[in-house]
Amino acid sequence: MKLATYKDGSRDGQLLVVSRDLSQAHYATGIANHLQQVLDDWNFLSPQLQDLYVSLNQGRARHAFAFNPQQCMAPLPRAHQWVDGSAFINHVELVRLSRKAEVPASFYVDPLMYQGGSDDFLGPCDDVVCVSEGHGIDFEAEVAVVTGDVPMGSSADEALEAVRLLMLVNDVSLRNLIADEIAKGFGFLQSKPATAFSPVAVTPDELGDVWEGGRLHLKLQSAWNGRTVGMCDAGEEMTFHFGQLIAHLCKTRNARAGSIIGSGTVSNRGVEVDGKREWPKGYSCIAEKRAIETILDGQPITEYMKFGDTIRIEMKGRDGHSIFGAIDQKISPLQK
């Protein structure tokens, strides 16, 4: 099942069911108005939405219309909780290696995670509005899950059973603000502005065998100013799967229905050739590209994003069709 939220002038938008090929949609009015309602009463409402989804795909939905991602808010326009992990340890290794800093041993057994703002998400085609280019504007292409209720102390396997939906993420970072914030010891705040999500959220059963072991085994594509810069495998090198990330969150607290957990930047190591490491050709954030440049040449040459730049993040299935629709955004200055 595929779900989206259309802009209607309200904070939470209007829930839609979207066809498998993303061509048609149907309002979920009469079942639920907002996605959070469905997550709060999943066992009762999701089967009704599934019936509508089947009818839509079979061409039997009476009031279907053409789906337009430009009209979408984030599937959950605001959420009770948004936390982002760093499940691809290669990303951490590259960034630290560029600073000649070692990765602590604990990072390989205990996931990194920060809590972001969840009151004002961006739609997939909304501009990324920034105060200054000097802040070091970067995209981060990721995968995220939306959960049902997860009790405190849940195991990774139990936590994985609570995954209701998957989405794509652009976790925007302002790189030049991060160091000073981290130095304070309290983590990210101003360096992590509003996050954007894909047009469509997808139930795990819709993904088939590419959703396995809490990992999504497909390539995540990133195109910066129309040029493909990332074609990274989102599954194989994910150090901590989503069940482990959710369980980490729930070590000391409950997670309530509608919690969103991100994978962190999707990152691949590259390959070994004749015993020598070949650096990956693609990347899911500019910081990783700059880290490799620093390791190889002593300094980065790739600049961060400028006003007017665009970023497109998408994932296609084995059939070549888009699964979640595309995050397709432009960087714009704040207009007071």
Side-chain angles (χ1 to χ4, degrees):
M1 179 166 61
K2 298 189 176 187
L3 303 173
T5 296
Y6 256 18
K7 298 175 181 178
D8 66 353
S10 71
R11 294 183 188 274
D12 297 302
Q14 181 64 52
L15 182 64
L16 307 177
V17 175
V18 182
S19 64
R20 183 171 288 113
D21 65 2
L22 307 182
S23 67
Q24 299 289 302
H26 195 289
Y27 285 113
T29 310
I31 301 173
N33 291 322
H34 315 303
L35 182 52
Q36 185 62 50
Q37 291 175 262
V38 181
L39 293 162
D40 286 337
D41 199 3
W42 184 261
N43 290 338
F44 180 67
L45 294 177
S46 66
Q48 299 176 57
L49 292 173
Q50 179 66 31
D51 289 343
L52 177 55
Y53 181 65
V54 171
S55 296
L56 183 62
N57 284 314
Q58 293 176 345
R60 296 187 291 105
R62 293 180 58 189
H63 301 292
F65 53 88
F67 177 58
N68 181 7
Q70 295 280 343
Q71 295 297 318
C72 285
M73 306 174 79
L76 263 179
R78 51 181 176 169
H80 293 307
Q81 180 160 228
W82 154 238
V83 297
D84 199 17
S86 190
F88 292 84
I89 198 66
N90 181 65
H91 173 72
V92 180
E93 290 174 340
L94 284 175
V95 173
R96 285 187 165 249
L97 184 58
S98 71
R99 303 200 311 259
K100 296 181 171 58
E102 291 188 5
V103 179
S106 64
F107 283 24
Y108 293 91
V109 295
D110 197 33
L112 292 169
M113 187 170 283
Y114 83 89
Q115 191 162 36
S118 61
D119 57 326
D120 184 32
F121 292 140
L122 297 177
C125 301
D126 292 344
D127 285 1
V128 176
V129 177
C130 298
V131 174
S132 170
E133 290 178 344
H135 286 167
I137 306 163
D138 199 357
F139 67 91
E140 289 192 55
E142 307 182 8
V143 179
V145 298
V146 186
T147 73
D149 288 332
V150 188
M152 180 168 50
S154 292
S155 69
D157 288 341
E158 291 167 339
L160 197 55
E161 290 298 316
V163 172
R164 300 288 182 255
L165 298 162
L166 288 92
M167 308 182 290
L168 302 183
V169 186
N170 181 14
D171 177 38
V172 182
S173 290
L174 303 179
R175 298 293 182 187
N176 294 337
L177 301 184
I178 287 177
D180 287 344
E181 287 202 315
I182 294 298
K184 293 179 179 179
F186 256 38
F188 303 123
L189 181 65
Q190 288 154 352
S191 54
K192 288 289 186 176
T195 305
F197 293 89
S198 53
V200 169
V202 177
T203 51
D205 62 287
E206 190 73 21
L207 299 166
D209 62 1
V210 299
W211 173 247
E212 182 181 7
R215 297 174 173 89
L216 185 51
H217 295 271
L218 289 171
K219 292 189 182 301
L220 185 59
Q221 305 175 19
S222 302
W224 178 14
N225 291 333
R227 183 173 68 89
T228 299
V229 296
M231 189 69 75
C232 299
D233 191 309
E236 194 65 30
E237 296 182 46
M238 190 179 185
T239 309
F240 303 102
H241 64 66
F242 277 108
Q244 292 170 304
L245 292 178
I246 299 166
H248 178 77
L249 169 65
C250 293
K251 279 183 179 179
T252 59
R253 68 178 81 179
N254 300 313
R256 292 308 183 192
S259 293
I260 305 174
I261 293 88
S263 66
T265 306
V266 174
S267 179
N268 296 159
R269 280 187 58 83
V271 296
E272 296 286 339
V273 178
D274 297 328
K276 184 179 179 181
R277 181 171 180 178
E278 286 282 330
W279 300 102
K281 299 292 191 293
Y283 51 91
S284 297
C285 71
I286 301 168
E288 195 164 299
K289 172 68 169 173
R290 287 168 57 90
I292 293 173
E293 292 168 349
T294 301
I295 294 165
L296 295 177
D297 303 317
Q299 62 182 5
I301 59 173
T302 301
E303 295 184 345
Y304 290 118
M305 302 181 83
K306 307 297 184 184
F307 294 141
D309 281 8
T310 61
I311 178 63
R312 182 181 177 92
I313 298 169
E314 191 172 18
M315 180 176 280
K316 295 182 179 179
R318 290 171 177 165
D319 59 3
H321 294 135
S322 184
I323 297 174
F324 303 92
I327 297 172
D328 200 350
Q329 298 181 280
K330 183 174 74 172
I331 310 300
S332 295
L334 176 65
Q335 302 289 341
K336 292 189 178 180

